Amino acid sequence: MKSLVKYITRRLLGTIPMIVLISIILFTLLQLAPGDPLAGKLDQHADANYIAKLKEDFGLDKPPVEQFFFWAKNFVQGNFGVSFDKKVLVQDLLSERIGKTVFLGIVSLIFTYMIAIPLGILSANKPYSKLDYTLTSASFIGFSMPSFFAGLLLIYLFGFQLGWFPYSGSETEASGYEGLEYLMDRLHHVILPAMTLAIINIAQYNRYVRASVLDAKAQDYTRTARSKGLSESKVLRKHVLRNALIPLVTLFGIDLGLLLSGAIITETIFGFPGVGQLYIQSITTRDYPVVMAITMMTSMAVLIGNLIADILYAFVDPRIKYD
């Protein structure tokens, strides 16, 4: 247990320089971006005194280095600044949307695991068969399909043609739903965007599972289990899957970190009011405090996700030690 605590502490300390470097690079890129961040947000008749006062309120009258340290000090204290565009605290904007994005990401992960793992096992149990070639071809098509195309295809098929699912928003406006009805309404709205996110992951995970199962089936411990007279189902369940699914733990930890960033295009296509849609809107309107906050939160989530993946990997694989 002590070694685990030391390992986590060491990894967390190691992420600090990375976070600082990411913030410096991002801040520099935003400073070098063309255009005035207040352009389009001022009345054309605004006088010079008003513009100067507005820049002072947002800290834009200071030198870039001083602006960075001012932002960094506030960020560490949990103050992400004020949105240039909406004139409200950035943390208030994020608090309204982050729950929707996390919910979307969790549902997409559920779809990924529920579909990809059985298909990967099925493909590995009948390697180089027509079924295997069919699933492999489908995986390559799914992996190469752009998310915006997959989203539009699902909207056309299941939204317009069949009318099974809504294709915009995250809930029914003014429905008055509560409790279980509200949850089911949210789930009904999230199905199509979650499937859009899951398509690429399903294709990727399917290939990982197939390769891992085939590798585990060829190991000595599997042949030994068969020689002891165990049925193929027991060999698969107790010996093959337990070892074959270990690599998925790493992918699971990484996917946890990508929950905030993976839905940027998808949320825009479906009009889903999450962090991803806010990110695109903020880039378009040069709302730099929001862009900085979302990018930094995503970077930290990815780093923490990688740490969780390493910890889980050692739990499921006794060969991995923290010492």
Side-chain angles (χ1 to χ4, degrees):
M1 187 65 183
K2 289 183 179 180
S3 59
L4 174 60
V5 173
K6 289 182 180 179
Y7 175 77
I8 295 175
T9 304
R10 186 168 63 249
R11 284 291 302 273
L12 289 175
L13 291 176
T15 61
I16 295 177
M18 298 181 65
I19 293 173
V20 172
L21 180 61
I22 291 171
S23 65
I24 292 174
I25 294 174
L26 177 62
F27 190 86
T28 302
L29 291 175
L30 292 178
Q31 286 290 324
L32 296 176
D36 187 345
L38 294 182
K41 304 174 181 63
L42 298 174
D43 186 272
Q44 59 180 345
H45 302 297
D47 59 25
N49 292 331
Y50 175 77
I51 295 174
K53 178 64 169 59
L54 197 60
K55 288 188 174 182
E56 181 181 353
D57 291 341
F58 285 118
L60 299 177
D61 60 328
K62 300 179 176 63
V65 175
E66 191 173 343
Q67 287 184 42
F68 173 77
F69 282 106
F70 178 77
W71 170 86
K73 177 184 176 182
N74 288 333
F75 185 82
V76 171
Q77 296 174 348
N79 180 9
F80 300 157
V82 178
S83 167
F84 291 164
D85 186 47
K86 296 179 172 55
K87 311 297 189 300
V88 298
L89 293 175
V90 175
Q91 49 263 42
D92 291 342
L93 286 176
L94 293 178
S95 64
E96 296 173 359
R97 294 171 175 259
I98 194 168
K100 295 181 175 65
T101 296
V102 171
F103 181 64
L104 171 60
I106 291 174
V107 174
S108 71
L109 285 180
I110 292 174
F111 284 154
T112 298
Y113 281 93
M114 286 179 60
I115 298 173
I117 292 178
L119 290 182
I121 295 172
L122 188 61
S123 185
N125 281 337
K126 298 182 179 181
Y128 313 112
S129 64
K130 290 183 179 180
L131 176 63
D132 183 30
Y133 285 127
T134 300
L135 293 176
T136 299
S137 300
S139 295
F140 281 123
I141 293 173
F143 190 74
S144 60
M145 185 182 297
S147 59
F148 68 87
F149 180 78
L152 293 175
L153 184 62
L154 292 179
I155 288 174
Y156 177 75
L157 291 177
F158 298 102
F160 286 146
Q161 293 297 319
L162 298 176
W164 289 356
F165 302 103
Y167 45 84
S168 65
S170 63
E171 58 189 67
T172 303
E173 295 291 337
S175 62
Y177 292 144
E178 295 181 357
L180 182 60
E181 282 187 325
Y182 176 71
L183 177 61
M184 295 305 296
D185 181 62
R186 289 279 304 274
L187 188 60
H188 193 215
H189 280 77
V190 85
I191 293 293
L192 290 186
M195 279 304 301
T196 302
L197 285 177
I199 285 175
I200 294 179
N201 283 339
I202 289 171
Q204 180 182 14
Y205 275 57
N206 178 31
R207 303 307 300 159
Y208 269 108
V209 173
R210 179 188 181 277
S212 298
V213 171
L214 286 176
D215 181 66
K217 290 175 71 173
Q219 297 300 317
D220 291 338
Y221 58 80
T222 304
R223 287 193 289 267
T224 302
R226 288 197 184 98
S227 67
K228 291 180 178 179
L230 293 179
S231 64
E232 192 63 29
S233 61
K234 286 188 176 181
V235 172
L236 178 66
R237 186 173 62 255
K238 292 187 176 181
H239 298 277
V240 174
L241 291 183
R242 182 174 180 180
N243 294 281
L245 298 182
I246 287 177
L248 294 187
V249 174
T250 303
L251 293 177
F252 174 72
I254 295 173
D255 284 339
L256 286 179
L258 294 176
L259 283 178
L260 294 180
S261 63
I264 292 176
I265 302 299
T266 302
E267 288 186 356
T268 303
I269 293 172
F270 286 91
F272 194 86
V275 174
Q277 186 192 58
L278 177 64
Y279 191 65
I280 292 293
Q281 293 173 351
S282 301
I283 292 175
T284 304
T285 59
R286 297 191 184 96
D287 200 346
Y288 296 156
V290 179
V291 175
M292 285 287 294
I294 295 177
T295 305
M296 292 304 300
M297 287 176 59
T298 302
S299 302
M300 294 170 65
V302 171
L303 293 173
I304 294 174
N306 278 278
L307 173 60
I308 293 174
D310 290 342
I311 295 173
L312 292 177
Y313 202 82
F315 270 111
V316 298
D317 190 347
R319 295 171 297 180
I320 305 297
K321 302 297 182 183
Y322 297 111
D323 297 331

